[in-house]
Amino acid sequence: MGNNRSLTEEEITLQAYRLEGQSASDVLKWATDQFGLDIVLASSFGAEDVVLIDMLHKVAPATPIFYLDTNKHFEETYQTRDRLAERYGVDFIQVLPVLTLEEQAQQHGDELWKADPNLCCNIRKVEPLTRVLGQFQAWITGIRRDQAPTRANSKKIEWDSKFNLVKFNPLADWTSEDVWKYIRENDVPYNPLHDNHYPSIGCNVCTRQVMPGEDPRAGRWAGFQKTECGLHK
């Protein structure tokens, strides 16, 4: 496996136009047929990701799935991982940061997520993601266009210039209601924190409940001018 670009820019543009009218499941089927085991799903075990795990199980169950283990996830997130692994027979790939929490504290001070959340995300998420994506030609994400202004122009297939590979966003045109309808109809295991005002779940030190009327991502990095961890441009 490696980053040999297997689709030209023109081919990606053409497929983006064609796949726009396709269902999420059809996008996944085309993507996995195209890339085989050279495509990987990135999962944080949030609502969108559990939908994709269920869909992949039906169309291409051998597709590798990884998660970035920051060592700061909620216990409910790890429990959701275990329930999904049991339900679908998946051996999720654990991707860890180079630095342990103790080493990070020694080098950058205690509770770096409070002093410099961008640096903390770089150490615990962006660098590990860069490392794992270097082993693949394409990746699949749970991005939806209505999640944030930074995601509004996401296509169902696009070239990811940040990580130098093809990126698939099968749920780009879904709404939150679409996600939860799928979860209910297919009885997909999901993180119970979603039932307690946590629409977007990250590390337990940087995620709070979202109150009625707030933006769904208001609970991420509250108090900072930050809405993304740096995984998506």
Side-chain angles (χ1 to χ4, degrees), residues 181-218:
K181 183 173 184 284
Y182 185 96
I183 288 172
R184 289 192 299 269
E185 290 181 349
N186 294 275
D187 191 30
V188 181
Y190 65 88
N191 194 323
L193 288 173
H194 287 310
D195 294 331
N196 195 26
H197 305 294
Y198 285 89
S200 178
I201 303 168
C203 295
N204 57 19
V205 290
C206 294
T207 308
R208 67 161 174 81
Q209 290 175 305
V210 173
M211 295 299 104
E214 287 188 307
D215 183 273
R217 290 184 68 81

Side-chain angles (χ1 to χ4, degrees), residues 27-58:
V27 173
L28 281 177
K29 181 71 167 63
W30 188 88
T32 52
D33 284 349
Q34 179 77 24
F35 289 98
L37 296 180
D38 273 328
I39 191 169
V40 66
L41 170 63
S43 175
S44 62
F45 307 114
E48 290 79 12
D49 296 335
V50 302
V51 166
L52 291 171
I53 289 169
D54 184 85
M55 285 185 178
L56 269 181
H57 181 70
K58 294 169 181 173

Side-chain angles (χ1 to χ4, degrees), residues 6-92:
S6 55
L7 292 174
T8 66
E9 190 173 330
E10 291 75 19
E11 287 170 333
I12 290 172
T13 301
L14 177 64
Q15 291 303 329
Y17 179 79
R18 189 184 71 81
L19 293 174
E20 181 60 30
Q22 301 292 313
S23 70
S25 185
D26 286 341
V27 173
L28 281 177
K29 181 71 167 63
W30 188 88
T32 52
D33 284 349
Q34 179 77 24
F35 289 98
L37 296 180
D38 273 328
I39 191 169
V40 66
L41 170 63
S43 175
S44 62
F45 307 114
E48 290 79 12
D49 296 335
V50 302
V51 166
L52 291 171
I53 289 169
D54 184 85
M55 285 185 178
L56 269 181
H57 181 70
K58 294 169 181 173
V59 302
T63 305
I65 304 171
F66 74 86
Y67 68 102
L68 302 175
D69 193 345
T70 63
N71 306 119
K72 278 293 181 181
H73 288 307
F74 289 93
E75 185 57 36
E76 289 89 342
T77 300
Y78 291 114
Q79 292 168 357
T80 302
R81 173 200 61 189
D82 295 343
R83 288 165 58 217
L84 290 162
E86 183 176 356
R87 167 77 172 268
Y88 298 109
V90 177
D91 186 13
F92 295 110

Side-chain angles (χ1 to χ4, degrees), residues 98-225:
V98 172
L99 298 180
T100 66
L101 287 169
E102 292 74 19
E103 290 167 340
Q104 177 173 297
Q106 289 169 4
Q107 292 186 27
H108 301 285
D110 288 334
E111 299 186 331
L112 180 61
W113 46 87
K114 290 183 179 179
D116 191 343
N118 285 325
L119 179 57
C120 191
C121 281
N122 278 334
I123 293 170
R124 311 210 74 73
K125 289 186 174 182
V126 180
E127 188 283 326
L129 179 65
T130 304
R131 191 173 358 112
V132 69
L133 290 184
Q135 303 172 47
F136 295 92
Q137 293 182 9
W139 69 310
I140 304 163
T141 85
I143 281 180
R144 293 187 293 104
R145 291 171 188 147
D146 67 358
Q147 286 172 323
T150 51
R151 303 180 179 192
N153 296 318
S154 300
K155 296 178 172 61
K156 292 188 179 180
I157 176 177
E158 54 194 6
W159 177 252
D160 190 332
S161 57
K162 180 167 186 172
F163 297 107
N164 203 37
L165 76 174
V166 180
K167 182 178 185 178
F168 288 90
N169 307 306
L171 306 181
D173 58 349
W174 282 37
T175 64
S176 178
E177 289 74 20
D178 293 330
V179 172
W180 286 102
K181 183 173 184 284
Y182 185 96
I183 288 172
R184 289 192 299 269
E185 290 181 349
N186 294 275
D187 191 30
V188 181
Y190 65 88
N191 194 323
L193 288 173
H194 287 310
D195 294 331
N196 195 26
H197 305 294
Y198 285 89
S200 178
I201 303 168
C203 295
N204 57 19
V205 290
C206 294
T207 308
R208 67 161 174 81
Q209 290 175 305
V210 173
M211 295 299 104
E214 287 188 307
D215 183 273
R217 290 184 68 81
R220 304 293 296 276
W221 306 283
F224 291 92
Q225 294 299 311

